[in-house]
């Protein structure tokens, strides 16, 4: 009994600092932000003393669902593209000779030496309507347009149904990249790609590539081996990459502010607007709470999905085991 | 061409290094064939070319009459058991074994049946649902072997499969491998640097050195009749005697070794007087006794009076370093019976060492560098001029 108390106290001492840290800098501020949402705001930018639900009532702005949906959609797109690009990148770096690996991984981090805002602003110049990227984009679209119109009708309809094409003729005058959702996705992918490559790379670096050889040896083609051996082995890295991209993407406001124009306002911009321009802290807090929930929801879903997957796997194994035992019993 | 697997003048270079140098081999169907050699001799490169992981710079590989030189690994029915086993960590033992069948879209019931058979063969039915991290080294090894055997490949390549196991387990797995080979009847190509493994398993052995095949023969022939000083020194241990033939009559000849004496030897190649030759005498062929050899052993045997300089007790036998006429010779003496009151031969004893002329073998190709592979007495100076 005495020993047990001893362990209790020593455990408590070891964990106390991190608990304190979490409480002081995470739990309490979050609770403060949430508590702000149940107050009104004062004209000079403060938080009113009396409790009210006015702030939550004010959230019934018809714009907000659209903005939240847009934020989630863009974050999802950005995450998807980042993972798709990071996988081959990380694979390639991990396969490099050891002396090159650190150098190449270093170049991925190189952009961080320049200010984030400067880099995003540079994209404004690069995506300028008279710029080269815009020209290439129009040429590409026109080529695709011609291809689309040369197709038989049923193919056109399938592509439209799949969301891969829009009916009608391509109009270059309305197809600027700048100040559009595309610019936001493009630059977000550019900005967050290192955060996707790094966790996948560190998982891939530990991957034993002789397993790919073994799979090839047993008859699998390269893609099958990549899919069935490499991806499952680095699954943990992919999960952290998804979180590392999705969470900052959902809260980003500099990129949509500078490149999204008026058509691509995200929830981050709204919070900024309410807090700084309208000096309405409770309103901004309410939006932040909504945002936090929408970040934590996918997180909770991932955790839940993973544990369910694990349980299912265990169940399947147990069933198979039982089935084998039954057949063995029947045979003997 | 009756050989099942033909390696025809295959060479492979890595930059300046020639890993495999114009190797030609023919391997029969169902054979247990070993590639034996020191590390860096090109045996693993040759194996990787058979598996399809490396392309030869020149030459061809034919399997069952078809040229498979350029075929990618997944398209040839040649499977490899890797040194580190390379079991898939995210799959159970059962899923690992089923992998090649799943890739080939074999029906589920068929897969289950084949995998069950394999599990039974290695007696691992109880471990079927464990992950590779949850089983022991010997079990991993067995899983790796049947994973490569389950879809009945034409050839199974084994790349030093026992290197990571401890001695007892290795001996056990050797027997198991032999049994598996007898059961499945698939051609096994076994790469190893361990002569004991190669000797006990193989139908034939190819001894490799510097990318070339030095000798290709049955284990006993390789051991008893090595063609080169490399084979003689690498397989087991030996004593080299260099000298000139001073007399030759019938099947025997006399070799005068400078600084040692006259040795009588079997002259199977009918070499003439005046030839310079190298003789290899294995340590276990040399008898060490306190009294001279009994007369019934014949008059023609080689007898040398000598002195014991070192005794190394090794359980099964004792190794003696004996000095005669300024030269150290190693000899192995098996123990017949342990008698406490018997006086064993020990340090500084004056002894007779003797061997029959038939026990020496004259080496065709001798290279000074191979003499360095032979064990030297523990107190011998590294540099002959150092003292």
């Amino acid at each position: 009994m005495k020993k047990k108390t001893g362990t209790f106290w020593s455990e408590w001492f070891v964990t106390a600092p991190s608990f304190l840290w979490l409480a002081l800098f995470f739990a309490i501020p979050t609770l403060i932000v949430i508590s702000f949402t149940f107050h009104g705001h004062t004209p000079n930018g403060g938080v009113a003393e009396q409790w009210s639900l006015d702030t939550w009532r004010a959230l019934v702005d018809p714009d907000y669902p659209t903005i939240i949906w847009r934020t989630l959609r863009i974050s999802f797109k950005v995450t998807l593209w980042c993972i798709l690009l990071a996988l081959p990148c990380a694979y390639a770096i991990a396969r490099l000779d050891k002396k090159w690996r650190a150098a190449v991984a270093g170049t991925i981090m190189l952009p961080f030496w320049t200010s984030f805002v400067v880099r995003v602003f540079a994209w404004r110049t690069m995506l300028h309507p008279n710029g080269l990227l815009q020209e290439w984009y129009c040429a590409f679209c026109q080529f695709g347009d011609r291809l689309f119109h040369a197709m038989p009708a049923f193919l056109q309809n399938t592509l439209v149904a799949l969301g891969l094409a829009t009916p009608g003729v391509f109009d270059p005058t309305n197809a600027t990249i700048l100040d559009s959702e595309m610019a936001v996705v493009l630059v977000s992918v550019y900005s967050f790609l290192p955060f996707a490559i790094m966790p996948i790379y560190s998982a891939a670096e530990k991957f034993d590539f002789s397993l790919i050889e073994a799979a090839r040896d047993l008859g699998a083609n390269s893609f099958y081996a990549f899919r069935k051996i490499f991806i499952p082995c680095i699954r943990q890295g992919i999960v952290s990459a998804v979180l590392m991209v999705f969470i900052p993407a959902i809260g980003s406001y500099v990129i949509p502010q500078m490149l999204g124009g008026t058509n691509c306002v995200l929830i981050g911009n709204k919070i900024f607007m309410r807090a700084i321009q309208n000096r309405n802290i409770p309103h901004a807090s309410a939006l932040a709470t909504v945002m936090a929930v929408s970040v934590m929801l996918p997180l909770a879903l991932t955790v839940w999905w993973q544990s369910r997957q694990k349980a299912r796997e265990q169940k399947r194994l147990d069933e198979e085991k039982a089935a084998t035992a039954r057949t063995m019993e029947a045979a003997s | 061409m009756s050989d099942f697997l033909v390696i025809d003048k295959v060479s492979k270079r890595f930059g300046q290094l020639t890993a495999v140098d114009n190797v030609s081999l023919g391997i029969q169907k169902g054979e247990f064939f070993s590639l034996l050699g020191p590390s860096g001799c090109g045996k693993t490169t040759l194996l990787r070319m058979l598996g399809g992981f490396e392309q030869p710079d020149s030459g061809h590989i034919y399997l069952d009459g078809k040229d498979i030189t350029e075929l990618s690994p997944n398209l040839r029915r040649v499977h490899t058991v890797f040194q580190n086993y390379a079991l898939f960590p995210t799959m159970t033992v059962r899923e690992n074994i089923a992998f090649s069948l799943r890739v080939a879209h074999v029906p589920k019931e068929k897969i289950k049946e084949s995998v069950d058979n394999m599990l039974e063969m290695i007696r691992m039915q109880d471990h079927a649902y464990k992950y590779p991290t949850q089983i022991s080294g010997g079990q991993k090894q067995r899983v790796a072997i049947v994973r490569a055997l389950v879809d009945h490949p034409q050839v199974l390549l084994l790349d030093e499969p026992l290197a990571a196991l401890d001695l007892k387990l290795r001996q056990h797995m050797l027997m198991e491998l032999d049994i598996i080979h007898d059961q499945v009847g698939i051609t096994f190509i076994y790469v190893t640097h361990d002569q004991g493994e190669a000797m006990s398993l193989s139908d034939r052995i190819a001894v490799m050195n510097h990318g070339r095949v030095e000798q290709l023969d049955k284990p006993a022939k390789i051991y008893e009749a090595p063609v080169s000083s490399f084979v003689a020194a690498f397989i087991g241990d030996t004593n080299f005697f260099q000298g000139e033939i001073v007399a030759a009559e019938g099947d025997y000849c006399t070799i005068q070794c400078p600084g040692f004496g006259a040795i009588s030897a079997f002259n199977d190649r009918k070499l003439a007087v005046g030839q310079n030759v190298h003789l290899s005498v294995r340590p276990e062929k040399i008898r060490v006794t306190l009294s001279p050899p009994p007369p019934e052993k014949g008059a023609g045997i080689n007898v040398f009076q000598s002195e014991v300089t070192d005794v190394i007790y090794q359980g099964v036998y004792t190794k003696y370093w004996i000095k005669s006429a300024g030269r150290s010779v190693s000899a192995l003496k098996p123990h017949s019976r342990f008698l406490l009151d018997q006086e064993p031969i020990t340090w500084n004893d004056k002894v007779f060492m003797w061997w029959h002329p038939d026990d020496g073998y004259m080496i065709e190709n001798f290279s000074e560098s191979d003499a360095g592979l032979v064990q030297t007495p523990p107190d011998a100076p590294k540099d002959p001029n150092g003292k």
Side-chain angles (χ1 to χ4, degrees), chain A residues 179-238:
Chain A
D179 298 330
S180 74
E181 191 176 312
M182 195 183 3
V184 175
V185 172
L186 179 72
V187 178
S188 297
V189 169
Y190 155 80
S191 304
F192 301 139
L193 191 56
F195 299 112
I197 293 177
M198 277 303 151
I200 296 181
Y201 162 65
S202 66
E205 204 195 9
K206 289 185 210 94
F207 179 73
D208 175 9
F209 281 96
S210 69
L211 294 180
I212 298 277
E213 267 188 6
R216 301 261 294 142
D217 186 74
L218 293 167
N221 60 36
S222 303
F223 184 62
Y224 190 94
F226 184 84
R227 219 156 40 92
K228 294 281 182 176
I229 308 296
F230 182 69
I231 299 282
C233 283
I234 58 153
R235 193 182 42 210
Q236 223 41 55
I238 296 176

Side-chain angles (χ1 to χ4, degrees), chain B residues 260 288-289 304-308 322-325 327 348-354:
Chain B
F260 188 71
V288 181
T289 50
F304 299 94
Q305 287 204 329
S306 36
E307 193 185 320
V308 175
I322 304 161
K323 210 160 204 170
S324 178
R327 226 207 101 141
N348 301 327
D349 276 358
K350 299 276 182 275
V351 292
F352 294 88
M353 69 161 157
W354 44 280

